[in-house]
Amino acid sequence: MAPIIQFKNVSKSFGINRVLGSMSLDIISGETLTIIGGSGSGKSVTLKLLLGLIMPDEGEIFFEGKKITMMSEEELVAMRAQIGMLFQGAALFDSLTVFENVAYPLMEHYNYPDEKVREIVAEKLELVGLPGIETMYPADLSGGMKKRVGLARAIATNPEVILYDEPTTGLDPANTNRINELILELQERLQVTSIVVTHDMASAFKVSNRLALLHNKKIEFVGTVEEIQRSRNQMVQNFIRGEIGET
Ligand SMILES: Nc1ncnc2c1ncn2[C@@H]1O[C@H](COP(=O)(O)OP(=O)(O)OP(=O)(O)O)[C@@H](O)[C@H]1O
Ligand SMILES: [Mg+2]
């Protein structure tokens, strides 16, 4: 099957800091692929490249066979309606209510009547286990609730692809479990394709079909949970045993 997302020899530098160098990765439709790698290895940059929020210096990125680097701003906006993102740290708008936060991508992409927006927001909040909290503000929410509201916002437009940047970081075990269950449920119920970035290996093994290790500006290894656990690649073993920190 043709991959839904392809990174082909992608390079990206910020000034003299080369973050990705000829990095390639294919993501298959319907899978959950987790990107692991040290802090600063370029995981968040990879997700932002896919959303077209930043552009590569070299190489190509394809979404459903279309080159992101060739898309107009309009095409990029349309593509982003198909890709929901749970940003690192949830990144809710503090001055907006939960309702306004979750409705935000709907307002951005569609011209739905108020009643339909209310229905969708209620449905997504219900799905993440937080029904009826529309009038609350982010400041009133716990860390776990913020992540779940961020997830409700990410899925508001029924995207085909969901990107999760550190979805469980800083959460207690109960909330970590809840997020893991939601990732699995969205994949099973809605057949979405997911890319998860995490440092949490237990979560990675639980939710992933495949894992990819980003190291030294490239994908060092990609394989199923079993393949990665059995791998003799020293970097992989160091990483899953928690021996790689900063890169
Ligand atoms: N907009 C930017 N301008 C300049 N440098 C940036 C920018 N975005 C990222 N970088 C740099 O690119 C490198 C990779 O950053 P990135 O955020 O992708 O790391 P990461 O793998 O997500 O790390 P972490 O696990 O800590 O979130 C870092 O050195 C970072 O400082
Ligand atoms: Mg990051």
Side-chain angles (χ1 to χ4, degrees):
M1 189 159 51
I4 182 168
I5 293 158
Q6 274 186 297
F7 288 80
K8 273 194 177 165
N9 303 315
V10 171
S11 298
K12 180 68 188 174
S13 299
F14 296 99
I16 57 161
N17 180 14
R18 191 165 165 90
V19 178
L20 299 177
S22 201
M23 185 275 266
S24 297
L25 177 66
D26 288 357
I27 292 114
I28 302 158
S29 183
E31 77 171 330
T32 297
L33 178 127
T34 297
I35 301 176
I36 56 177
S39 192
S41 60
K43 303 179 301 294
S44 295
V45 164
T46 299
L47 298 185
K48 286 174 190 162
L49 284 165
L50 173 57
L51 284 168
L53 297 174
I54 51 179
M55 285 293 158
D57 302 326
E58 288 162 56
E60 283 151 3
I61 303 164
F62 295 87
F63 176 69
E64 296 186 328
K66 273 187 251 147
K67 264 187 208 174
I68 292 177
T69 40
M70 302 292 279
M71 288 184 188
S72 64
E73 193 53 39
E74 261 176 20
E75 287 172 307
L76 280 174
V77 170
M79 177 188 77
R80 286 183 201 128
Q82 297 307 319
I83 305 180
M85 168 109 179
L86 177 58
F87 285 94
Q88 195 163 1
L92 300 176
F93 302 112
D94 288 329
S95 62
L96 302 184
T97 63
V98 166
F99 174 82
E100 289 163 335
N101 267 284
V102 178
Y104 199 88
L106 295 170
M107 302 299 199
E108 215 177 359
H109 294 289
Y110 305 108
N111 202 1
Y112 290 149
D114 291 355
E115 185 50 32
K116 175 145 182 168
V117 174
R118 271 198 295 275
E119 263 171 38
I120 296 172
V121 171
E123 177 203 324
K124 301 308 176 194
L125 286 173
E126 172 96 49
L127 195 74
V128 300
L130 294 172
I133 66 157
E134 279 89 339
T135 59
M136 290 176 81
Y137 281 88
D140 306 326
L141 308 176
S142 69
M145 290 167 86
K146 279 186 199 163
K147 293 262 182 175
R148 284 188 280 151
V149 171
L151 183 53
R153 182 176 64 186
I155 60 177
T157 57
N158 291 330
E160 289 166 49
V161 175
I162 307 176
L163 312 181
Y164 300 88
D165 200 350
E166 306 275 2
T168 58
T169 304
L171 299 184
D172 63 25
N175 274 298
T176 296
N177 256 333
R178 202 175 265 150
I179 293 279
N180 289 342
E181 292 301 332
L182 282 167
I183 295 172
L184 288 167
E185 194 180 326
L186 287 168
Q187 186 194 20
E188 281 160 19
R189 276 190 20 192
L190 308 173
Q191 273 91 49
V192 296
T193 305
S194 303
I195 304 179
V196 181
V197 163
T198 192
H199 287 280
D200 171 355
M201 292 310 300
S203 291
F205 289 142
K206 185 153 188 219
V207 302
S208 315
N209 300 113
R210 293 193 304 153
L211 290 96
L213 173 65
L214 188 55
H215 181 71
N216 206 4
K217 306 171 182 54
K218 285 183 191 229
I219 298 297
E220 165 98 15
F221 187 94
V222 56
T224 62
V225 170
E226 205 189 333
E227 283 164 351
I228 210 147
Q229 284 172 333
R230 281 198 193 157
S231 165
R232 290 169 184 242
N233 180 311
Q234 198 55 48
M235 287 324 300
V236 170
Q237 285 307 322
N238 289 349
F239 195 86
I240 62 180
R241 292 202 207 101
E243 287 163 17
I244 299 179
E246 303 283 323
T247 51

